[in-house]
Short mmCIF file of all heavy atoms in Angstrom, two decimals:
data_model
loop_
_atom_site.label_atom_id
_atom_site.label_comp_id
_atom_site.label_asym_id
_atom_site.label_seq_id
_atom_site.Cartn_x
_atom_site.Cartn_y
_atom_site.Cartn_z
N GLU V 182 15.49 16.21 1.92
CA GLU V 182 15.03 16.01 3.28
C GLU V 182 13.53 15.64 3.31
O GLU V 182 13.12 14.76 4.07
CB GLU V 182 15.26 17.31 4.04
CG GLU V 182 15.06 17.20 5.50
CD GLU V 182 14.80 18.56 6.09
OE1 GLU V 182 14.38 19.49 5.38
OE2 GLU V 182 15.00 18.67 7.30
N VAL V 264 10.90 36.52 7.89
CA VAL V 264 10.96 37.52 8.95
C VAL V 264 12.34 38.17 8.89
O VAL V 264 13.34 37.46 8.77
CB VAL V 264 10.79 36.84 10.33
CG1 VAL V 264 10.71 37.87 11.43
CG2 VAL V 264 9.57 35.93 10.31
N ALA V 266 15.34 40.46 10.66
CA ALA V 266 15.86 41.03 11.90
C ALA V 266 16.15 42.50 11.66
O ALA V 266 16.22 42.93 10.50
CB ALA V 266 17.13 40.27 12.27
N ALA V 270 18.95 41.28 8.00
CA ALA V 270 19.22 39.87 7.71
C ALA V 270 17.95 39.06 7.95
O ALA V 270 17.14 39.41 8.80
CB ALA V 270 20.34 39.35 8.61
N VAL V 271 17.80 37.98 7.19
CA VAL V 271 16.61 37.13 7.36
C VAL V 271 16.73 36.38 8.67
O VAL V 271 17.77 35.83 8.99
CB VAL V 271 16.51 36.15 6.18
CG1 VAL V 271 15.47 35.08 6.47
CG2 VAL V 271 16.17 36.89 4.91
N LYS V 272 15.63 36.37 9.44
CA LYS V 272 15.65 35.63 10.71
C LYS V 272 15.22 34.19 10.43
O LYS V 272 14.19 33.96 9.79
CB LYS V 272 14.68 36.30 11.68
CG LYS V 272 14.83 35.82 13.09
CD LYS V 272 14.19 36.86 14.02
CE LYS V 272 13.96 36.39 15.43
NZ LYS V 272 14.79 35.46 16.01
N LEU V 273 16.04 33.26 10.88
CA LEU V 273 15.73 31.85 10.61
C LEU V 273 14.69 31.32 11.60
O LEU V 273 14.72 31.66 12.78
CB LEU V 273 16.99 31.01 10.79
CG LEU V 273 18.05 31.19 9.71
CD1 LEU V 273 19.43 31.19 10.32
CD2 LEU V 273 17.93 30.08 8.70
N VAL V 274 13.80 30.49 11.09
CA VAL V 274 12.86 29.77 11.95
C VAL V 274 13.13 28.27 11.77
O VAL V 274 13.88 27.86 10.88
CB VAL V 274 11.39 30.12 11.63
CG1 VAL V 274 11.09 31.56 12.00
CG2 VAL V 274 11.05 29.86 10.18
N ALA V 275 12.48 27.47 12.64
CA ALA V 275 12.83 26.04 12.72
C ALA V 275 12.74 25.30 11.39
O ALA V 275 13.55 24.44 11.08
CB ALA V 275 11.96 25.36 13.76
N GLY V 276 11.76 25.66 10.55
CA GLY V 276 11.58 24.93 9.29
C GLY V 276 12.56 25.35 8.20
O GLY V 276 12.62 24.73 7.14
N ASP V 277 13.32 26.42 8.44
CA ASP V 277 14.24 26.91 7.40
C ASP V 277 15.43 25.99 7.21
O ASP V 277 15.85 25.28 8.13
CB ASP V 277 14.76 28.30 7.78
CG ASP V 277 13.70 29.36 7.60
OD1 ASP V 277 12.77 29.13 6.80
OD2 ASP V 277 13.78 30.41 8.26
N VAL V 278 15.96 26.03 6.00
CA VAL V 278 17.15 25.23 5.68
C VAL V 278 18.34 26.21 5.58
O VAL V 278 18.45 26.96 4.62
CB VAL V 278 16.95 24.49 4.34
CG1 VAL V 278 18.22 23.74 3.96
CG2 VAL V 278 15.76 23.54 4.43
N PRO V 279 19.21 26.22 6.60
CA PRO V 279 20.33 27.17 6.57
C PRO V 279 21.46 26.69 5.67
O PRO V 279 21.61 25.49 5.45
CB PRO V 279 20.79 27.20 8.03
CG PRO V 279 20.38 25.89 8.61
CD PRO V 279 19.19 25.40 7.83
N ARG V 280 22.21 27.63 5.16
CA ARG V 280 23.42 27.26 4.39
C ARG V 280 24.44 28.39 4.49
O ARG V 280 24.09 29.53 4.84
CB ARG V 280 23.06 27.00 2.93
CG ARG V 280 22.44 28.20 2.28
CD ARG V 280 22.29 28.03 0.80
NE ARG V 280 21.79 29.30 0.29
CZ ARG V 280 21.07 29.43 -0.80
NH1 ARG V 280 20.75 28.38 -1.50
NH2 ARG V 280 20.68 30.61 -1.18
N LEU V 281 25.67 28.02 4.19
CA LEU V 281 26.72 29.04 4.21
C LEU V 281 26.67 29.80 2.90
O LEU V 281 26.55 29.19 1.83
CB LEU V 281 28.09 28.37 4.37
CG LEU V 281 28.32 27.60 5.68
CD1 LEU V 281 29.71 26.97 5.70
CD2 LEU V 281 28.16 28.50 6.90
N PRO V 282 26.73 31.14 2.96
CA PRO V 282 26.71 31.91 1.71
C PRO V 282 27.97 31.64 0.89
O PRO V 282 28.96 31.13 1.42
CB PRO V 282 26.70 33.37 2.19
CG PRO V 282 26.42 33.33 3.64
CD PRO V 282 26.82 31.98 4.15
N VAL V 285 31.89 31.71 2.08
CA VAL V 285 32.05 31.45 3.52
C VAL V 285 32.27 29.95 3.72
O VAL V 285 31.53 29.15 3.15
CB VAL V 285 30.78 31.90 4.31
CG1 VAL V 285 30.93 31.57 5.80
CG2 VAL V 285 30.52 33.38 4.10
N MET V 287 33.83 26.68 6.62
CA MET V 287 34.41 26.31 7.91
C MET V 287 35.76 25.64 7.62
O MET V 287 35.86 24.84 6.71
CB MET V 287 33.47 25.35 8.64
CG MET V 287 33.93 25.04 10.02
SD MET V 287 32.64 24.32 11.06
CE MET V 287 32.45 22.71 10.35
N LEU V 298 35.41 30.06 11.06
CA LEU V 298 34.54 30.30 9.92
C LEU V 298 35.20 31.41 9.10
O LEU V 298 35.40 32.52 9.61
CB LEU V 298 33.15 30.74 10.43
CG LEU V 298 31.98 30.60 9.47
CD1 LEU V 298 31.85 29.17 8.95
CD2 LEU V 298 30.68 31.00 10.17
N PHE V 305 35.86 34.05 12.06
CA PHE V 305 35.20 33.91 13.36
C PHE V 305 35.66 32.63 14.01
O PHE V 305 35.64 31.57 13.37
CB PHE V 305 33.67 33.84 13.18
CG PHE V 305 33.09 35.09 12.57
CD1 PHE V 305 32.94 35.20 11.17
CD2 PHE V 305 32.68 36.15 13.38
CE1 PHE V 305 32.42 36.34 10.61
CE2 PHE V 305 32.16 37.30 12.80
CZ PHE V 305 32.02 37.40 11.42
N LEU V 307 35.26 29.42 16.29
CA LEU V 307 34.07 28.60 16.57
C LEU V 307 34.32 27.70 17.78
O LEU V 307 35.39 27.09 17.88
CB LEU V 307 33.75 27.71 15.36
CG LEU V 307 33.43 28.44 14.06
CD1 LEU V 307 33.34 27.44 12.90
CD2 LEU V 307 32.10 29.21 14.17
N ASP V 308 33.33 27.63 18.66
CA ASP V 308 33.47 26.67 19.77
C ASP V 308 32.94 25.30 19.31
O ASP V 308 32.42 25.16 18.19
CB ASP V 308 32.78 27.17 21.04
CG ASP V 308 31.28 27.32 20.86
OD1 ASP V 308 30.72 26.71 19.92
OD2 ASP V 308 30.65 28.05 21.65
N ASP V 309 33.09 24.29 20.19
CA ASP V 309 32.73 22.92 19.80
C ASP V 309 31.26 22.82 19.38
O ASP V 309 30.92 22.09 18.45
CB ASP V 309 32.99 21.94 20.95
CG ASP V 309 34.48 21.77 21.17
OD1 ASP V 309 35.26 22.23 20.31
OD2 ASP V 309 34.85 21.19 22.21
N ASN V 310 30.40 23.53 20.10
CA ASN V 310 28.97 23.47 19.77
C ASN V 310 28.71 24.00 18.36
O ASN V 310 27.98 23.41 17.56
CB ASN V 310 28.14 24.30 20.76
CG ASN V 310 28.08 23.63 22.11
OD1 ASN V 310 28.38 22.45 22.21
ND2 ASN V 310 27.73 24.39 23.14
N ALA V 311 29.36 25.12 18.06
CA ALA V 311 29.16 25.73 16.74
C ALA V 311 29.68 24.79 15.65
O ALA V 311 29.06 24.64 14.59
CB ALA V 311 29.86 27.08 16.67
N VAL V 312 30.79 24.11 15.93
CA VAL V 312 31.36 23.18 14.94
C VAL V 312 30.38 22.02 14.70
O VAL V 312 30.11 21.63 13.56
CB VAL V 312 32.73 22.64 15.41
CG1 VAL V 312 33.24 21.56 14.47
CG2 VAL V 312 33.73 23.79 15.51
N ALA V 313 29.80 21.49 15.80
CA ALA V 313 28.85 20.37 15.67
C ALA V 313 27.66 20.79 14.82
O ALA V 313 27.20 20.04 13.95
CB ALA V 313 28.39 19.92 17.05
N VAL V 314 27.18 22.01 15.05
CA VAL V 314 26.00 22.48 14.29
C VAL V 314 26.38 22.75 12.84
O VAL V 314 25.73 22.27 11.90
CB VAL V 314 25.41 23.76 14.93
CG1 VAL V 314 24.27 24.31 14.08
CG2 VAL V 314 24.92 23.47 16.35
N LEU V 315 27.47 23.49 12.65
CA LEU V 315 27.82 23.89 11.27
C LEU V 315 28.24 22.68 10.42
O LEU V 315 28.09 22.71 9.20
CB LEU V 315 28.93 24.94 11.30
CG LEU V 315 28.45 26.33 11.75
CD1 LEU V 315 29.62 27.29 11.89
CD2 LEU V 315 27.41 26.91 10.80
N SER V 316 28.70 21.61 11.06
CA SER V 316 29.03 20.41 10.28
C SER V 316 27.78 19.83 9.65
O SER V 316 27.85 19.07 8.69
CB SER V 316 29.64 19.33 11.16
OG SER V 316 30.67 19.87 11.92
N LEU V 317 26.63 20.15 10.23
CA LEU V 317 25.37 19.60 9.69
C LEU V 317 24.66 20.61 8.78
O LEU V 317 23.62 20.30 8.20
CB LEU V 317 24.45 19.19 10.84
CG LEU V 317 24.98 18.06 11.75
CD1 LEU V 317 24.06 17.83 12.93
CD2 LEU V 317 25.14 16.77 10.95
N VAL V 318 25.20 21.81 8.67
CA VAL V 318 24.60 22.81 7.77
C VAL V 318 25.08 22.50 6.36
O VAL V 318 26.25 22.70 6.03
CB VAL V 318 25.01 24.24 8.20
CG1 VAL V 318 24.66 25.25 7.12
CG2 VAL V 318 24.33 24.61 9.52
N ASP V 319 24.19 21.93 5.55
CA ASP V 319 24.60 21.51 4.21
C ASP V 319 23.66 22.00 3.12
O ASP V 319 23.71 21.55 1.97
CB ASP V 319 24.69 19.97 4.16
CG ASP V 319 23.35 19.31 4.49
OD1 ASP V 319 22.40 20.05 4.80
OD2 ASP V 319 23.27 18.08 4.44
N GLY V 320 22.76 22.92 3.49
CA GLY V 320 21.81 23.42 2.48
C GLY V 320 20.72 22.41 2.15
O GLY V 320 19.95 22.59 1.21
N GLN V 321 20.65 21.31 2.91
CA GLN V 321 19.61 20.28 2.71
C GLN V 321 18.78 20.11 3.97
O GLN V 321 17.57 19.97 3.92
CB GLN V 321 20.24 18.91 2.40
CG GLN V 321 21.21 18.89 1.24
CD GLN V 321 20.51 18.66 -0.07
OE1 GLN V 321 19.32 18.42 -0.12
NE2 GLN V 321 21.25 18.75 -1.16
N ARG V 322 19.47 20.10 5.10
CA ARG V 322 18.76 19.84 6.36
C ARG V 322 18.15 21.12 6.90
O ARG V 322 18.77 22.18 6.87
CB ARG V 322 19.75 19.33 7.43
CG ARG V 322 20.41 18.02 7.14
CD ARG V 322 21.34 17.72 8.32
NE ARG V 322 21.97 16.43 8.22
CZ ARG V 322 23.18 16.23 7.70
NH1 ARG V 322 23.86 17.24 7.22
NH2 ARG V 322 23.70 15.02 7.66
N SER V 323 16.93 21.01 7.46
CA SER V 323 16.31 22.15 8.13
C SER V 323 16.90 22.26 9.54
O SER V 323 17.58 21.34 10.02
CB SER V 323 14.81 21.94 8.23
OG SER V 323 14.54 20.86 9.09
N VAL V 324 16.59 23.39 10.20
CA VAL V 324 17.06 23.58 11.58
C VAL V 324 16.50 22.44 12.45
O VAL V 324 17.21 21.87 13.27
CB VAL V 324 16.62 24.96 12.11
CG1 VAL V 324 17.02 25.12 13.57
CG2 VAL V 324 17.21 26.08 11.26
N THR V 325 15.23 22.10 12.22
CA THR V 325 14.62 21.01 13.00
C THR V 325 15.39 19.71 12.81
O THR V 325 15.67 18.99 13.76
CB THR V 325 13.16 20.80 12.55
OG1 THR V 325 12.48 22.03 12.71
CG2 THR V 325 12.47 19.72 13.35
N ARG V 326 15.73 19.41 11.57
CA ARG V 326 16.45 18.16 11.27
C ARG V 326 17.83 18.15 11.93
O ARG V 326 18.28 17.14 12.46
CB ARG V 326 16.57 18.01 9.75
CG ARG V 326 17.13 16.73 9.27
CD ARG V 326 16.13 15.58 9.39
NE ARG V 326 16.84 14.31 9.41
CZ ARG V 326 17.11 13.61 10.51
NH1 ARG V 326 16.70 14.01 11.69
NH2 ARG V 326 17.77 12.46 10.44
N ILE V 327 18.50 19.31 11.86
CA ILE V 327 19.83 19.41 12.49
C ILE V 327 19.69 19.15 13.99
O ILE V 327 20.46 18.38 14.57
CB ILE V 327 20.45 20.81 12.22
CG1 ILE V 327 20.76 20.95 10.72
CG2 ILE V 327 21.69 21.03 13.07
CD1 ILE V 327 21.16 22.35 10.29
N ALA V 328 18.66 19.76 14.59
CA ALA V 328 18.45 19.58 16.04
C ALA V 328 18.17 18.11 16.34
O ALA V 328 18.69 17.55 17.32
CB ALA V 328 17.30 20.47 16.51
N GLU V 329 17.37 17.47 15.49
CA GLU V 329 17.05 16.05 15.73
C GLU V 329 18.30 15.19 15.66
O GLU V 329 18.50 14.27 16.45
CB GLU V 329 16.04 15.55 14.69
CG GLU V 329 14.63 16.00 15.00
CD GLU V 329 13.69 15.74 13.82
OE1 GLU V 329 14.13 15.25 12.76
OE2 GLU V 329 12.51 16.06 13.97
N LEU V 331 21.41 16.14 16.18
CA LEU V 331 22.26 16.39 17.35
C LEU V 331 21.67 15.72 18.58
O LEU V 331 22.40 15.17 19.42
CB LEU V 331 22.41 17.90 17.58
CG LEU V 331 23.23 18.64 16.51
CD1 LEU V 331 23.11 20.14 16.70
CD2 LEU V 331 24.71 18.22 16.59
N ALA V 339 15.46 17.20 21.55
CA ALA V 339 15.58 17.90 20.26
C ALA V 339 15.01 19.32 20.32
O ALA V 339 15.55 20.23 19.70
CB ALA V 339 14.89 17.09 19.17
N LYS V 340 13.94 19.50 21.06
CA LYS V 340 13.29 20.84 21.11
C LYS V 340 14.20 21.85 21.80
O LYS V 340 14.30 23.01 21.39
CB LYS V 340 11.95 20.75 21.84
CG LYS V 340 10.80 20.33 20.92
CD LYS V 340 10.39 21.49 20.00
CE LYS V 340 9.73 20.94 18.75
NZ LYS V 340 9.83 21.74 17.55
N VAL V 341 14.85 21.39 22.89
CA VAL V 341 15.76 22.29 23.62
C VAL V 341 16.93 22.66 22.71
O VAL V 341 17.31 23.83 22.59
CB VAL V 341 16.28 21.58 24.91
CG1 VAL V 341 17.33 22.43 25.60
CG2 VAL V 341 15.11 21.27 25.84
N ILE V 342 17.46 21.66 22.02
CA ILE V 342 18.59 21.92 21.11
C ILE V 342 18.15 22.88 20.01
O ILE V 342 18.87 23.83 19.65
CB ILE V 342 19.11 20.60 20.50
CG1 ILE V 342 19.72 19.74 21.61
CG2 ILE V 342 20.13 20.88 19.41
CD1 ILE V 342 20.46 18.53 21.11
N GLU V 343 16.94 22.66 19.49
CA GLU V 343 16.44 23.52 18.40
C GLU V 343 16.43 24.99 18.84
O GLU V 343 16.88 25.87 18.10
CB GLU V 343 15.05 23.05 17.99
CG GLU V 343 14.49 23.77 16.79
CD GLU V 343 13.11 23.22 16.44
OE1 GLU V 343 13.04 22.10 15.90
OE2 GLU V 343 12.11 23.91 16.71
N THR V 344 15.91 25.22 20.04
CA THR V 344 15.86 26.60 20.55
C THR V 344 17.26 27.19 20.64
O THR V 344 17.51 28.31 20.21
CB THR V 344 15.19 26.61 21.95
OG1 THR V 344 13.98 25.86 21.86
CG2 THR V 344 14.89 28.01 22.43
N ASP V 345 18.19 26.39 21.19
CA ASP V 345 19.56 26.88 21.35
C ASP V 345 20.23 27.17 20.02
O ASP V 345 20.86 28.21 19.83
CB ASP V 345 20.42 25.84 22.10
CG ASP V 345 20.06 25.77 23.57
OD1 ASP V 345 19.27 26.63 24.01
OD2 ASP V 345 20.53 24.86 24.26
N ILE V 346 20.07 26.24 19.09
CA ILE V 346 20.82 26.45 17.83
C ILE V 346 20.19 27.56 17.00
O ILE V 346 20.88 28.20 16.22
CB ILE V 346 21.05 25.15 17.03
CG1 ILE V 346 19.76 24.57 16.48
CG2 ILE V 346 21.81 24.12 17.81
CD1 ILE V 346 20.01 23.34 15.61
N LEU V 347 18.90 27.81 17.19
CA LEU V 347 18.29 28.94 16.46
C LEU V 347 18.94 30.26 16.89
O LEU V 347 19.20 31.14 16.06
CB LEU V 347 16.78 28.99 16.72
CG LEU V 347 15.93 28.23 15.70
CD1 LEU V 347 14.48 28.21 16.13
CD2 LEU V 347 16.06 28.82 14.29
N VAL V 348 19.22 30.37 18.19
CA VAL V 348 19.88 31.59 18.69
C VAL V 348 21.25 31.72 18.02
O VAL V 348 21.62 32.77 17.47
CB VAL V 348 20.03 31.54 20.23
CG1 VAL V 348 20.85 32.72 20.74
CG2 VAL V 348 18.65 31.50 20.90
N MET V 349 21.98 30.61 18.01
CA MET V 349 23.33 30.64 17.45
C MET V 349 23.30 30.92 15.93
O MET V 349 24.05 31.76 15.42
CB MET V 349 23.98 29.30 17.71
CG MET V 349 25.34 29.21 17.16
SD MET V 349 25.94 27.64 17.70
CE MET V 349 25.96 26.82 16.37
N LEU V 350 22.40 30.25 15.24
CA LEU V 350 22.34 30.43 13.78
C LEU V 350 21.91 31.85 13.42
O LEU V 350 22.41 32.45 12.47
CB LEU V 350 21.39 29.40 13.16
CG LEU V 350 21.86 27.94 13.25
CD1 LEU V 350 20.78 26.98 12.76
CD2 LEU V 350 23.14 27.72 12.43
N ASN V 351 20.98 32.40 14.21
CA ASN V 351 20.54 33.76 13.93
C ASN V 351 21.65 34.77 14.20
O ASN V 351 21.75 35.80 13.52
CB ASN V 351 19.26 34.09 14.70
CG ASN V 351 18.04 33.65 13.90
OD1 ASN V 351 17.96 33.93 12.70
ND2 ASN V 351 17.14 32.93 14.52
N ASP V 352 22.48 34.46 15.18
CA ASP V 352 23.63 35.32 15.46
C ASP V 352 24.56 35.33 14.22
O ASP V 352 25.01 36.38 13.76
CB ASP V 352 24.35 34.78 16.70
CG ASP V 352 25.52 35.63 17.08
OD1 ASP V 352 25.35 36.86 17.12
OD2 ASP V 352 26.63 35.08 17.29
N LEU V 353 24.79 34.14 13.67
CA LEU V 353 25.64 34.06 12.47
C LEU V 353 24.97 34.73 11.28
O LEU V 353 25.63 35.38 10.46
CB LEU V 353 25.96 32.59 12.15
CG LEU V 353 26.82 31.86 13.19
CD1 LEU V 353 26.91 30.37 12.87
CD2 LEU V 353 28.23 32.46 13.23
N ALA V 354 23.62 34.59 11.20
CA ALA V 354 22.90 35.21 10.08
C ALA V 354 23.02 36.73 10.14
O ALA V 354 23.19 37.40 9.11
CB ALA V 354 21.42 34.79 10.11
N GLU V 355 22.98 37.26 11.38
CA GLU V 355 23.12 38.71 11.52
C GLU V 355 24.50 39.19 11.09
O GLU V 355 24.67 40.27 10.57
CB GLU V 355 22.86 39.12 12.97
CG GLU V 355 21.42 39.59 13.16
CD GLU V 355 21.09 39.83 14.60
OE1 GLU V 355 21.87 40.53 15.28
OE2 GLU V 355 20.06 39.28 15.05
N LYS V 356 25.49 38.31 11.30
CA LYS V 356 26.87 38.66 10.87
C LYS V 356 27.05 38.38 9.38
O LYS V 356 28.15 38.48 8.85
CB LYS V 356 27.87 37.84 11.67
CG LYS V 356 27.85 38.15 13.16
CD LYS V 356 28.94 37.37 13.88
CE LYS V 356 29.06 37.80 15.32
NZ LYS V 356 28.70 36.73 16.26
N ARG V 357 25.99 37.94 8.74
CA ARG V 357 26.00 37.66 7.28
C ARG V 357 26.93 36.51 6.89
O ARG V 357 27.49 36.51 5.80
CB ARG V 357 26.40 38.92 6.48
CG ARG V 357 25.57 40.16 6.77
CD ARG V 357 24.14 39.91 6.36
NE ARG V 357 23.29 41.00 6.78
CZ ARG V 357 22.67 41.81 5.95
NH1 ARG V 357 22.78 41.67 4.66
NH2 ARG V 357 21.90 42.75 6.41
N VAL V 358 27.13 35.55 7.80
CA VAL V 358 27.93 34.39 7.43
C VAL V 358 27.05 33.12 7.37
O VAL V 358 27.55 31.99 7.34
CB VAL V 358 29.13 34.16 8.38
CG1 VAL V 358 30.21 35.19 8.11
CG2 VAL V 358 28.70 34.18 9.83
N LEU V 359 25.74 33.35 7.37
CA LEU V 359 24.80 32.25 7.24
C LEU V 359 23.54 32.81 6.56
O LEU V 359 23.18 33.96 6.80
CB LEU V 359 24.44 31.69 8.62
CG LEU V 359 23.74 30.34 8.57
CD1 LEU V 359 24.78 29.23 8.62
CD2 LEU V 359 22.78 30.15 9.75
N GLU V 360 22.92 31.98 5.72
CA GLU V 360 21.67 32.42 5.09
C GLU V 360 20.71 31.25 4.95
O GLU V 360 21.09 30.10 5.22
CB GLU V 360 21.97 33.05 3.73
CG GLU V 360 22.59 32.08 2.74
CD GLU V 360 23.02 32.75 1.43
OE1 GLU V 360 23.24 33.97 1.41
OE2 GLU V 360 23.13 32.01 0.44
N ARG V 361 19.47 31.51 4.49
CA ARG V 361 18.54 30.40 4.28
C ARG V 361 18.17 30.30 2.81
O ARG V 361 18.43 31.21 2.06
CB ARG V 361 17.27 30.53 5.09
CG ARG V 361 16.82 31.94 5.42
CD ARG V 361 15.39 31.97 5.82
NE ARG V 361 14.62 32.29 4.61
CZ ARG V 361 13.31 32.27 4.53
NH1 ARG V 361 12.63 31.88 5.55
NH2 ARG V 361 12.67 32.60 3.43
#
Side-chain angles (χ1 to χ4, degrees):
E182 190 201 22
V264 186
V271 168
K272 193 161 166 31
L273 289 141
V274 293
D277 286 337
V278 176
R280 59 171 185 207
L281 296 179
V285 178
M287 186 163 71
L298 199 56
F305 298 91
L307 299 172
D308 63 20
D309 290 348
N310 289 343
V312 174
V314 175
L315 287 174
S316 310
L317 297 174
V318 168
D319 60 357
Q321 306 272 355
R322 297 180 175 94
S323 67
V324 176
T325 303
R326 186 75 202 100
I327 293 171
E329 282 169 358
L331 291 170
K340 275 286 155 207
V341 174
I342 294 189
E343 186 179 286
T344 310
D345 287 352
I346 67 176
L347 268 174
V348 173
M349 180 175 109
L350 293 173
N351 273 313
D352 182 48
L353 294 172
E355 263 172 50
K356 296 184 172 115
R357 306 296 173 114
V358 286
L359 194 90
E360 62 186 23
R361 28 162 265 172

